[in-house]
Amino acid sequence: MTIYFYKVEEPYGCFSNFSAHNIYISGQDWLTVEHYYQAQNLWAVLMKG
């Protein structure tokens, strides 16, 4: 059985990277996993110059 979790309001939506669950990584609190992911992408672009 495949479980899909693309939309927060649907079953298993709590596993979506857009789900409103804070995460705490390396001393910083992020609103969602997606916020953390996008920040890491931006940091990688800025570091390339």
Side-chain angles (χ1 to χ4, degrees):
M1 176 181 165
T2 304
I3 296 174
Y4 298 99
F5 47 89
Y6 299 116
K7 296 184 179 180
V8 176
E9 66 277 356
E10 292 184 0
Y12 306 106
C14 61
F15 298 113
S16 168
N17 46 326
F18 296 106
S19 180
H21 291 91
N22 291 14
I23 60 168
Y24 186 78
I25 300 175
S26 299
Q28 287 190 293
D29 198 20
W30 300 91
L31 293 177
T32 66
V33 173
E34 187 66 19
H35 282 87
Y36 174 77
Y37 174 78
Q38 294 299 334
Q40 298 312 299
N41 286 338
L42 176 61
W43 182 251
V45 169
L46 293 175
M47 293 307 292
K48 286 183 180 179

